[in-house]
Amino acid sequence: MVFLRRTLLLRYLLLSAMLALLLFISSFWLPPGGVGDCGAARQPCWSFSRQTFKPPLVPDGWAEPDGAPPLIKECTGQSFQAWRLLLYLKSSLATDDDDVLLEWYLQSWDQLLNFMESLGTMVSFFSQKVNEKVVLIRKLSLKHTAEAHGKHADRSGPRTPAAFGLDDGAYRSVRSMVEAELKAGAVDFSRRTDSGCRTLLRLHRSFLWLKLMLEGLAEGPDSGGRYKTPGELSRDAYQVALAPHHHWMLRQAAEFLFLGLPDRKHFLQLVCVQNQREATPVLRIIIDALTPVHTRTQRILAEHGMLELP
């Protein structure tokens, strides 16, 4: 027993040291001055908050049949709301040209971040990196809009989608952003740049990780009647979506992080269900909304040879 306690303590200390080192190293990944550095020279101070600015543009045919009990419920007392995620995902597809509207895509990520943060502090490293990427795309959009109008960005007051330039500017959609950044020479295929395209690719990979994890949660038990734990599902999804693009140290840290994920019951509570029988149809609805967004984004990035941007 003493040996076991010492082993667990050693693992905990090792994980803490690795996470501290990763956070230190990650500070060098940000653009000069950092994403939110208001004091750096020539770095305007932009504030972004996760909030709903206006009703989403939900395409026809997405509503549940009249008279049917709603499967996606309001979950009181928690930041993640599955019904909001669904509305934003579906609104991001409200375009007829096989595109993804960035405003709603990023607001979908706001909800996915709430989901990640609901899993506890062990996931905070990943959610922090994802949030930085969401902020960076909004920041690039605002900067592009300000430059296009030949004036400085307004630094006061809350930001709206129109201020981001996500309504009708170059960053209105994934396709328009890709085309605009390619035309401006902002995308480098041989070295890292802080372009919206490269940032979107990183979000796209994390998007797949969450999608695969939810697919695992929606599955039934194995032949022995055992359900995989969320940690096992997250690790399996990570091996497919993210591990091939991460260095060794980050892969090892991820293995420890997944051991600390809460149990399946906690995940079910996030979508307001009591058991697996209730959870499966709810998770399938969410997965069905995630899939076309991922497919469209994948297709656009692939068309322009951007799936392996450094």
Side-chain angles (χ1 to χ4, degrees):
M1 181 64 70
V2 174
F3 175 77
L4 178 60
R5 289 179 178 175
R6 289 180 177 176
T7 301
L8 292 175
L9 177 60
L10 180 60
R11 288 186 177 181
Y12 177 78
L13 292 175
L14 178 60
L15 174 59
S16 300
M18 291 179 71
L19 287 177
L21 179 58
L22 284 171
L23 289 172
F24 173 73
I25 293 174
S26 68
S27 66
F28 295 100
W29 297 348
L30 300 178
V35 169
D37 188 351
C38 302
R42 298 184 300 279
Q43 292 289 327
C45 181
W46 294 311
S47 60
F48 306 103
S49 58
R50 300 180 201 172
Q51 56 184 298
T52 304
F53 296 100
K54 60 184 180 183
L57 309 174
V58 182
D60 295 335
W62 284 94
E64 294 182 52
D66 292 340
L71 291 175
I72 309 297
K73 305 173 183 177
E74 174 81 22
C75 296
T76 58
Q78 66 181 44
S79 57
F80 171 71
Q81 296 294 335
W83 71 269
R84 286 192 182 277
L85 173 61
L86 283 175
L87 288 178
Y88 298 150
L89 288 169
K90 296 165 186 175
S91 296
S92 73
L93 301 177
T95 172
D96 298 327
D97 52 356
D98 192 30
D99 206 349
V100 177
L101 299 175
L102 268 176
E103 174 184 335
W104 303 118
Y105 178 82
L106 295 179
Q107 291 207 44
S108 299
W109 262 115
D110 288 341
Q111 278 301 310
L112 289 171
L113 278 164
N114 288 339
F115 175 81
M116 293 174 69
E117 290 166 358
S118 298
L119 304 181
T121 56
M122 297 298 285
V123 190
S124 61
F125 174 77
F126 287 108
S127 62
Q128 173 194 339
K129 301 307 297 181
V130 168
N131 186 57
E132 289 170 0
K133 291 170 176 56
V134 171
V135 169
L136 180 56
I137 292 180
R138 284 171 166 157
K139 177 179 177 180
L140 289 171
S141 176
L142 179 59
K143 178 181 178 182
H144 184 277
T145 301
E147 292 175 348
H149 289 80
K151 58 184 179 181
H152 297 292
D154 179 15
R155 302 184 184 185
S156 61
R159 300 307 178 198
T160 65
F164 293 151
L166 296 170
D167 274 346
D168 54 11
Y171 287 74
R172 173 181 178 273
S173 70
V174 170
R175 193 174 295 278
S176 64
M177 179 185 72
V178 168
E179 293 173 353
E181 291 198 339
L182 284 174
K183 183 178 180 180
V187 184
D188 195 313
F189 289 83
S190 60
R191 63 182 180 86
R192 175 201 161 182
T193 60
D194 293 312
S195 65
C197 293
R198 179 189 183 276
T199 304
L200 177 69
L201 175 61
R202 271 59 185 176
L203 287 176
H204 180 63
R205 291 169 179 169
S206 296
F207 195 93
L208 177 60
W209 170 52
L210 288 169
K211 175 177 172 293
L212 293 175
M213 182 177 65
L214 291 174
E215 288 177 353
L217 285 170
E219 292 177 356
D222 59 21
S223 57
R226 176 183 176 274
Y227 287 95
K228 281 191 173 182
T229 67
E232 292 172 327
L233 295 172
S234 298
R235 182 190 60 206
D236 293 346
Y238 175 82
Q239 292 298 327
V240 173
L242 293 171
H245 312 287
H246 286 170
H247 53 72
W248 179 86
M249 183 179 294
L250 186 53
R251 293 197 302 270
Q252 297 304 307
E255 289 290 329
F256 283 102
L257 289 175
F258 298 142
L259 292 175
L261 287 181
D263 59 20
R264 182 179 285 260
K265 181 179 180 181
H266 179 84
F267 280 79
L268 300 187
Q269 289 174 344
L270 290 177
V271 291
C272 290
V273 297
Q274 300 300 318
N275 52 56
Q276 186 65 38
R277 182 180 60 83
E278 295 177 359
T280 296
V282 172
L283 291 172
R284 287 297 177 191
I285 291 174
I286 297 174
I287 293 164
D288 287 346
L290 290 166
T291 299
V293 177
H294 178 270
T295 300
R296 288 192 185 188
T297 306
Q298 175 87 3
R299 186 179 297 122
I300 295 170
L301 293 173
E303 286 174 1
H304 296 85
M306 292 183 173
L307 291 178
E308 297 297 332
L309 284 177

